[in-house]
Amino acid sequence: MMPSYFFAHGAPSIVLEDNAYTKLLKEFKDHMPKPKAIVLFSAHWEEPVQSVGAAATYDTIYDFGGFDSRMSCTR
């Protein structure tokens, strides 16, 4: 069994930052085998009871605004 890890994403603008934490996130994959699956826990999903969902891929939901223009969604 692979070990479990928790990574806090911080503010969405973390994708524009260059610091020790973002470097760790970018390099983490180089030190671990490719996982067969990823379990994602999110506070941004609402259900009346605890539930589990599954999908082969997830689309990004752009539910924020007012950030740097480099984060704009171009769909």
Side-chain angles (χ1 to χ4, degrees):
M1 179 185 331
M2 291 184 64
S4 298
Y5 296 92
F6 169 79
F7 294 101
H9 63 70
S13 56
I14 193 171
V15 301
L16 304 175
E17 297 174 10
D18 183 19
N19 55 46
Y21 186 62
T22 58
K23 182 178 180 180
L24 176 135
L25 293 175
K26 291 174 185 174
E27 295 178 354
F28 181 77
K29 68 174 178 53
D30 297 334
H31 304 286
M32 299 300 298
K34 184 176 179 178
K36 294 179 184 176
I38 297 174
V39 177
L40 172 74
F41 294 89
S42 175
H44 303 284
W45 189 272
E46 295 183 16
E47 291 285 335
V49 297
Q50 188 175 23
S51 62
V52 176
T57 60
Y58 280 98
D59 289 329
T60 300
I61 300 171
Y62 293 92
D63 61 348
F64 58 87
F67 294 101
D68 188 297
S69 62
R70 293 174 288 171
M71 296 177 60
S72 296
C73 175
T74 55
R75 289 187 171 188

